[in-house]
Amino acid sequence: MKTVKNKNELLLLLFLILTSAGFAQQSGGLAPKATTDEAALSFRDIPYLKKAFIDAAPADRKDGILVGELGIDGGNKAMILKVVQEIADNNEGKFDSFLIVHKDKLLFESYYLHGRINLPHFQASATKAYTSMALGRAIQMGYLTMADLDKPLVSFLKDLDPTKFVEGAEKITLHQALTMRSGIRIRKEQREAFEKTPANLKGQGLVQAYLGHSAPITVASQSFLYQNDPMLVMQVIEAAVPGSAMDFIKNELLDKMGITNYVWQTDVSGLTSSGAYSRMTSRDMVKWGTLAMNKGKWNGEQLVPEAFIVKATSRIIYTGDDDVYGGGKDVSNQGYGYYWWNADLKYGDKSYFSASAQGGGGQYIILIEELDLIIVVTAHNNDNSTLQIIAERILPAFIKK
């Protein structure tokens, strides 16, 4: 038997024994499910769980996700359990779920508060990352090409009247729209005027309104601005693929990944909402993350071109460190790809590049390729520090010393 050499080792050993005992009843057990009545409620009305569900050896639910055991297949179990015990005891971050995938295996799964394994959670702006992947799927299938990313997006929209465009509108490329640099600038009063005549915004009418009422689009205006640019990209998908964009996304992405329990609303144009208003289960968020981590492959099939994934998750532009969502002292160099955020997460004297789908309220799919690590978080708190927690508390559990 190994001898405990000092007080710190003894304390760690006691903690591991106690937490392992405390969580053993939940490990491999039945994850909390929303009842039929609960599933019909608005998100805010779903009752909080009386007890957190924490599983360090997630069950194989035959849903296309490989599973393993934390500490056996990777990760420092004691370190992770310590973090989640703090979350469970004092959930000020208002976490609803926290999942960890390492080397393609789901090693840890937990649910709190509003979290349920079968309940699609609102995604907010994480939806933008799914829109990006949908465009990539259209490229993979030959309806568009990588070269098309640098073409004017209006060249794909044949129902528009270019004589009514503001100056510069015809020069906006798909690449610029994918990086929030369309340059479109619409006054609040103009947006409100649009809303009074929704019939004019159906189909490509929404794009016509934006390109006809924006301030002139110039090099100066085509700077990063987090706004409604994903709408432009969804319009191109709708125009390029056979049938509707929603049918295409369902048949060519969601169905292929076995994602069936979701909600994805439409916007005022009648098209699939591109920037928000989707809901996914936490495990299905794992699938989106796995698709991106594996460079567009799912079960050996290339669903999205690797070249597109590389662009989407890279730091195409630097957005600055003044306001990093979920950041902290160890999160820096925030940037943006194709609707995927990125930042450096520091632990010790080394920084690890992360790419993440992010949504308001604290929704994250975080990819750390160097560690082959995917972290999925759902929550209902905009004032979160999730990226800082990942850098400070989760990374060290997967870094080999």
Side-chain angles (χ1 to χ4, degrees), residues 37-51:
D37 288 342
E38 286 175 340
L41 296 173
S42 68
F43 178 81
R44 289 189 184 90
D45 292 332
I46 294 167
Y48 277 178
L49 291 174
K50 293 180 180 179
K51 185 178 181 181

Side-chain angles (χ1 to χ4, degrees), residues 29-88:
L30 296 176
K33 289 187 175 183
T35 65
T36 302
D37 288 342
E38 286 175 340
L41 296 173
S42 68
F43 178 81
R44 289 189 184 90
D45 292 332
I46 294 167
Y48 277 178
L49 291 174
K50 293 180 180 179
K51 185 178 181 181
F53 174 84
I54 295 166
D55 197 343
D60 183 357
R61 301 184 182 277
K62 309 300 180 184
D63 57 359
I65 296 176
L66 299 176
V67 297
E69 183 174 349
L70 184 65
I72 301 298
D73 294 298
N76 184 311
K77 185 175 181 179
M79 293 175 74
I80 297 299
L81 292 183
K82 188 173 189 298
V83 176
V84 298
Q85 180 67 67
E86 293 172 7
I87 290 174

Side-chain angles (χ1 to χ4, degrees), residues 283-353:
R283 278 198 168 213
D284 287 340
M285 292 170 72
V286 163
K287 293 180 180 182
W288 285 106
T290 301
L291 179 65
M293 180 67 84
N294 290 335
K295 298 294 188 289
K297 280 189 177 181
W298 182 262
N299 286 340
E301 181 182 0
Q302 196 77 45
L303 297 185
V304 179
E306 179 175 351
F308 185 87
I309 294 289
V310 169
K311 272 183 172 286
T313 57
S314 66
R315 187 182 288 129
I316 295 175
I317 55 174
Y318 172 71
T319 60
D321 291 345
D322 293 337
D323 186 21
V324 180
Y325 188 61
K329 64 182 178 62
D330 299 314
V331 184
S332 63
N333 295 321
Q334 180 178 251
Y336 205 65
Y338 286 169
Y339 304 149
W340 287 78
W341 293 90
N342 42 72
D344 294 334
L345 307 182
K346 184 180 180 183
Y347 180 75
D349 59 357
K350 181 175 172 59
S351 289
Y352 297 83
F353 180 81

Side-chain angles (χ1 to χ4, degrees), residues 134-315:
L135 184 75
R137 180 61 178 151
I139 292 173
Q140 178 66 34
M141 295 190 70
Y143 299 119
L144 295 164
T145 69
M146 290 295 291
D148 286 337
L149 296 173
D150 294 317
K151 293 180 181 177
L153 65 87
V154 296
S155 65
F156 304 100
L157 306 177
K158 305 304 183 184
D159 295 339
L160 301 178
D161 182 354
T163 66
K164 296 181 180 179
F165 291 168
V166 298
E167 182 181 352
E170 74 285 352
K171 296 179 181 179
I172 302 169
T173 66
L174 262 175
H175 175 78
Q176 288 168 327
L178 283 161
T179 51
M180 294 291 188
R181 294 183 296 171
S182 70
I184 294 173
R185 299 292 184 266
I186 301 286
R187 293 178 294 107
K188 179 182 177 181
E189 296 78 9
Q190 185 62 66
R191 292 179 191 273
E192 292 172 348
F194 289 162
E195 294 171 1
K196 293 178 181 178
T197 55
N200 295 336
L201 305 178
K202 297 301 180 183
Q204 294 180 20
L206 182 61
V207 182
Q208 186 76 60
Y210 270 64
L211 297 185
H213 293 88
S214 170
I217 295 166
T218 65
V219 173
S221 75
Q222 288 186 309
S223 56
F224 178 83
L225 181 64
Y226 201 67
Q227 59 173 10
N228 202 24
D229 285 1
M231 169 273 292
L232 302 170
V233 173
M234 188 62 76
Q235 290 274 353
V236 171
I237 296 171
E238 176 86 7
V241 303
S244 69
M246 188 66 255
D247 286 345
F248 175 78
I249 292 168
K250 176 186 181 298
N251 295 333
E252 296 299 336
L253 278 175
L254 299 174
D255 285 355
K256 287 182 177 294
M257 293 191 288
I259 298 175
T260 59
N261 183 17
Y262 65 92
V263 175
W264 202 327
Q265 298 179 24
T266 56
D267 65 19
V268 67
S269 72
L271 274 64
T272 309
S273 180
S274 54
Y277 303 112
S278 73
R279 283 185 274 164
M280 302 278 167
T281 68
S282 300
R283 278 198 168 213
D284 287 340
M285 292 170 72
V286 163
K287 293 180 180 182
W288 285 106
T290 301
L291 179 65
M293 180 67 84
N294 290 335
K295 298 294 188 289
K297 280 189 177 181
W298 182 262
N299 286 340
E301 181 182 0
Q302 196 77 45
L303 297 185
V304 179
E306 179 175 351
F308 185 87
I309 294 289
V310 169
K311 272 183 172 286
T313 57
S314 66
R315 187 182 288 129

Side-chain angles (χ1 to χ4, degrees), residues 337-391:
Y338 286 169
Y339 304 149
W340 287 78
W341 293 90
N342 42 72
D344 294 334
L345 307 182
K346 184 180 180 183
Y347 180 75
D349 59 357
K350 181 175 172 59
S351 289
Y352 297 83
F353 180 81
S354 71
S356 55
Q358 298 181 12
Q363 323 320 313
Y364 292 89
I365 304 173
I366 303 165
L367 315 176
I368 305 167
E369 186 174 358
E370 186 172 347
L371 300 176
D372 206 346
L373 195 61
I374 304 170
I375 297 128
V376 163
V377 174
T378 59
H380 53 285
N381 179 17
N382 259 332
D383 189 22
N384 68 81
S385 55
T386 298
L387 290 178
Q388 177 60 33
I389 291 171
I390 301 305

